[in-house]
Amino acid sequence: MTNLDPALRDEIIAAIPNLRAFAISLSGSVDRADDLVQETLLRAFANIGSFRPGTNLPAWLFTILRNLFRSEYRKRRREVPDSDGNFAATLTSNPDQNTHLDFEDFRTALDKLPSDQREALILVGASGFSYEEAADICQCAVGTIKSRVNRARRRLGELLAIEDVEDFGPDKTTRAVLAAG
């Protein structure tokens, strides 16, 4: 930070009150806003090389702050408030060996799929590509990808003897033990 241009440093410092006001409006908390501004400034300094002089520095800083807030909001939305630990006490986990065996069964079934169906299913189902992106990668029509994915899912269900949603998760015996506990 010693190599930071003084004019750029002054512009960053001048933006802090507006960043703080924006952070307060997003978070509704002064303490949380201060944390957001601090993290924004840390990220800005860490990535100052990606800022192009002559462009809008405050806009760049506000973008960092907004993206940081949104990322943390998405993360917190998935969290469950449990300050007294009651919810955590109800959580259980299945034995690891069953998960490992289920995964091996899945890999074996996946290997039995035709390569074009396996490729389409992995691109769309596991890698998160859209049908359109997968079609571009495979150099085929979108409808072809959709058909391959559908056939692959149906065949995997047959190979793994999956008939409905109840077939996922712990087996019937484990479910009964967990329900009784």
Side-chain angles (χ1 to χ4, degrees):
M1 207 163 82
T2 57
N3 297 337
L4 188 63
D5 176 45
L8 185 59
R9 186 194 67 228
D10 291 345
E11 195 174 354
I12 291 171
I13 291 170
I16 292 174
N18 291 331
L19 286 170
R20 190 167 185 264
F22 183 56
I24 291 169
S25 73
L26 289 175
S27 68
S29 161
V30 172
D31 292 334
R32 183 71 205 112
D34 289 341
D35 291 342
L36 281 168
V37 170
Q38 181 177 351
E39 184 63 27
T40 297
L41 294 173
L42 288 172
R43 289 185 184 196
F45 286 127
N47 296 293
I48 198 71
S50 67
F51 175 71
R52 291 180 308 217
T55 60
N56 190 339
L57 179 66
W60 184 67
L61 294 170
F62 275 75
T63 300
I64 293 170
L65 190 143
R66 186 192 70 230
N67 290 343
L68 178 64
F69 174 78
R70 287 183 176 171
S71 295
E72 289 183 5
Y73 176 79
R74 283 192 298 273
K75 179 182 161 193
R76 286 193 172 140
R77 196 176 62 202
R78 293 186 299 262
E79 293 177 354
V80 176
D82 189 29
S83 60
D84 56 3
N86 289 335
F87 181 74
T90 66
L91 298 177
T92 60
S93 63
N94 297 322
D96 287 339
Q97 66 271 22
N98 287 344
T99 304
H100 177 72
L101 293 174
D102 289 345
F103 183 69
E104 286 303 314
D105 290 345
F106 174 77
R107 285 184 54 170
T108 300
L110 190 64
D111 287 341
K112 291 181 181 179
L113 295 176
S115 62
D116 61 337
Q117 290 179 16
R118 184 174 51 246
E119 179 183 43
L121 184 63
I122 289 171
L123 287 171
V124 173
S127 299
F129 288 103
S130 68
Y131 288 115
E132 293 78 12
E133 292 167 329
D136 287 342
I137 292 168
C138 295
Q139 298 178 340
C140 64
V142 174
T144 302
I145 288 293
K146 288 181 178 181
S147 176
R148 289 176 183 173
V149 168
N150 185 42
R151 288 195 310 266
R153 286 177 176 155
R154 193 171 47 245
R155 183 67 181 136
L156 271 179
E158 292 168 3
L159 291 169
L160 296 171
I162 297 172
E163 295 174 10
D164 62 29
V165 73
E166 292 297 317
D167 292 331
F168 290 101
D171 59 34
K172 291 178 183 176
T173 305
T174 304
R175 273 196 293 260
V177 170
L178 291 174

